[in-house]
């Protein structure tokens, strides 16, 4: 199989390794070994592990964006799309055996005060993720299926953060309980 | 000021350091320097950083327990106690400048697959924390202030995990928005 450039191999390996072991649990050597490239080649492409972490987050975000595309499918009622979206995130977590969790959530818990560059990137990605959910919440409020006594923006932020918190708990408990409780309570309480 | 035993100094320093920098971001030397004890003394008291992390979590839990005692104040309506409890957690986070977050949440995101001992301890503490909230939710359901169409146990788990998720987001955004959204949406949607 053809492999990408050294830089590309490093980014692909970094997404995998940083997602599994966290920023401080991963050394540059862990990444170059996973990428099967010489350790010395790292600094030809990246200033630091921090710079690479920002690129790896961007790459991970592309996967999140792919999943978010289902939220825009206008043939399905908005509230059904929202529910399916979070069920889909839960399915992905289950298939991964409740390991690794969400790379964006993990880094948010681990290191926002350690790296300004990573924190700023996390803030931008979480804001974009919230906005994608917000559009769908607004549609569901317009068709009367989600309660209207709270702003779509606030509900969307709540949904995303609450899912991240449930994912964190699932990593500890290694079962579906927290993620199921999230969907049941959030949708039970917000859907009219 | 009298200082505790070397072991006690190490535990106190570990709570502070692990909370701030995470498990993998903290070395044994960081802890012994913060404790102002010789590095060599560490292994007289602890097998490993992992063993110390479990003791540090236990110590941190005592602070969580102190905060939880307000949930048992039967002179105040249960739903008010619940709301005040989470507002109190939000105040603590604000006073800390949305740094550090919750040590239990941070370790849950960072390392459950890295250490079985830490994961098992996190699971026990999160279960105990959920149960304390559950008792108060059950009281609020009994007096008709919290909706009864969901189990108290499920609501309690949802509240704790959702707060943890909001705390994670607040660490990135460095503002109150996520924590305020949590209280507004959760209580707005669950209180009858």
């Amino acid at each position: 199989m053809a492999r990408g450039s050294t830089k590309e191999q490093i980014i692909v390996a970094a997404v995998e390794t940083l997602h599994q072991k966290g920023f401080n649990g991963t050394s540059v050597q862990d990444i170059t070994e996973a990428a099967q490239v010489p350790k010395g080649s790292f600094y030809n492409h990246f200033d630091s592990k921090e710079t690479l972490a920002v690129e790896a987050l961007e790459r991970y975000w592309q996967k999140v964006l792919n999943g978010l595309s289902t939220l825009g499918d206008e043939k399905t009622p908005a509230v059904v799309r929202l529910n399916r979206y979070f069920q889909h995130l839960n399915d992905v977590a289950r298939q991964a055996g409740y390991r690794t969790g969400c790379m964006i959530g993990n880094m948010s818990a681990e290191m926002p005060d350690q790296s300004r560059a990573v924190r700023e990137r996390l803030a931008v990605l979480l804001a974009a993720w919230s906005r994608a959910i917000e559009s769908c919440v607004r549609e569901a409020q317009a068709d009367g299926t989600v309660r209207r006594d709270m702003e779509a923006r606030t509900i969307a932020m709540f949904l995303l953060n609450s899912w991240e918190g449930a994912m964190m708990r699932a990593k500890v408990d290694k079962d579906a309980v927290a993620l199921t409780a999230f969907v049941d309570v959030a949708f039970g309480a917000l859907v009219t």
Side-chain angles (χ1 to χ4, degrees), chain A residues 22-149:
Chain A
F23 184 80
N24 292 309
T26 301
S27 66
V28 167
Q29 191 169 341
D30 289 337
I31 296 168
T32 51
E33 278 177 9
Q36 297 179 282
V37 301
K39 187 177 177 189
S41 65
F42 183 89
Y43 293 99
N44 297 334
H45 301 284
F46 302 98
D47 289 346
S48 63
K49 192 173 69 165
E50 193 180 337
T51 311
L52 173 57
V54 173
E55 288 223 33
L57 271 174
E58 210 59 48
R59 191 61 64 94
Y60 183 80
W61 172 247
Q62 296 306 313
K63 294 190 210 177
V64 176
L65 269 185
N66 286 342
L68 281 169
S69 63
T70 61
L71 280 182
D73 165 27
E74 294 181 4
K75 292 192 295 289
T76 309
V79 71
V80 175
R81 275 179 266 153
L82 277 171
N83 191 294
R84 280 190 194 157
Y85 178 64
F86 286 107
Q87 298 277 12
H88 165 72
L89 293 185
N90 290 359
D91 286 344
V92 172
R94 182 177 48 74
Q95 283 155 18
Y98 310 107
R99 297 171 69 90
T100 65
C102 169
M103 184 171 160
I104 293 172
N106 295 349
M107 285 200 174
S108 298
E110 186 188 3
M111 57 171 305
D113 292 303
Q114 187 181 342
S115 161
R116 183 171 170 168
V118 171
R119 180 172 81 73
E120 288 177 348
R121 182 49 41 186
L122 289 168
V124 167
L125 298 180
L126 286 164
W129 199 345
S130 291
R131 274 196 305 278
I133 295 168
E134 181 185 340
S135 302
C136 205
V137 169
R138 185 164 287 116
E139 277 186 72
Q141 287 181 317
D143 72 22
T145 46
V146 163
R147 56 194 300 155
R148 295 177 185 173
D149 56 351

